[in-house]
Amino acid sequence: MDDKESLRVGVAVRRRRRALELTLAQVAARSGLSVPFLSQVENERARPSGRSLQRVADALGTTDAQLLADAESARVVDVVRAAESARDTGAAGVRPLVRGRHQLHAVEYTGEQDAGREFLHRNDEILYVADGAAEVEAEGRAHRLERGDSLYLSGGVRHRWRATEPGTRLLVVAVSDHVEVTDA
């Protein structure tokens, strides 16, 4: 197993564990591995050895070969063309930059948006001004962002934003809330 395969197997491990409705603690008890290590494997921050992967597979009632095969099928490369993603977004000026449900969520907003709407996300996000300018209120402070500026918000920060120039394009990239990786 090469390093790329061993890292990507985390998606397959998480998918299988959740399908069996098992907690990390239950898999840890069955495999003899620690919860922190299994969490790192699932989040693709640790590389399981061949022996560790076999122990995880046994705990999940499958084989290491099947987990690797499932990891391979979870790999996605998907080009979203501007013309096709502009259709069927459900809202004017909103364009998804990633198709399907993934751990990464990215949207482009163009023009005026509802400045009164407040957002609160569980996970981190970045707002990037591609064109124009915007004002973002976060944690009781107003931040003026111009073309090329970005603002990082950790999870749990209430915020709202509004375009301050015509033609403003704001990109929002965020970590999704516990979304399973699925084929697009």
Side-chain angles (χ1 to χ4, degrees):
M1 163 176 32
D2 70 21
D3 287 346
K4 288 181 182 176
E5 286 175 330
S6 65
L7 269 177
R8 291 189 176 122
V9 77
V11 171
V13 169
R14 181 184 311 113
R15 184 183 296 153
R16 175 79 177 172
R17 178 181 63 80
R18 288 186 176 168
L20 295 172
E21 298 181 355
L22 296 173
T23 65
L24 280 172
Q26 290 169 316
V27 176
R30 290 180 179 189
S31 67
L33 300 169
S34 73
V35 170
F37 175 71
L38 291 171
S39 176
Q40 288 178 344
V41 167
E42 284 193 2
N43 290 303
E44 300 179 348
R45 292 189 182 113
R47 293 180 173 99
S49 66
R51 178 68 187 125
S52 292
L53 185 58
Q54 182 59 53
R55 290 166 69 178
V56 171
D58 290 345
L60 295 173
T62 190
T63 65
D64 55 347
Q66 185 59 54
L67 287 175
L68 289 172
D70 291 346
E72 181 67 31
S73 69
R75 296 178 189 176
V76 175
V77 176
D78 187 24
V79 175
V80 177
R81 303 281 182 208
E84 75 182 76
S85 67
R87 299 180 305 220
D88 304 324
T89 61
V94 179
R95 182 171 78 99
L97 302 175
V98 177
R99 188 183 357 247
R101 292 175 45 93
H102 302 281
Q103 292 177 346
L104 178 74
H105 180 71
V107 177
E108 176 187 60
Y109 294 94
T110 303
E112 290 296 317
Q113 299 298 319
D114 182 5
R117 183 171 177 204
E118 187 173 72
F119 300 94
L120 175 64
H121 304 289
R122 177 178 180 164
N123 294 318
D124 300 351
E125 68 182 273
I126 293 175
L127 283 69
Y128 174 79
V129 179
D131 286 312
E135 185 174 276
V136 181
E137 292 179 35
E139 294 294 305
R141 288 186 54 205
H143 304 273
R144 173 135 174 99
L145 303 177
E146 297 178 356
R147 184 173 189 251
D149 292 345
S150 64
L151 177 71
Y152 168 80
L153 300 164
S154 65
V157 172
R158 289 186 185 281
H159 60 282
R160 71 178 89 223
W161 68 270
R162 67 181 183 87
T164 58
E165 292 181 9
T168 293
R169 286 189 314 127
L170 184 78
L171 307 181
V172 177
V173 180
V175 176
S176 295
D177 291 336
H178 303 290
V179 172
E180 289 291 330
V181 174
T182 59
D183 295 329

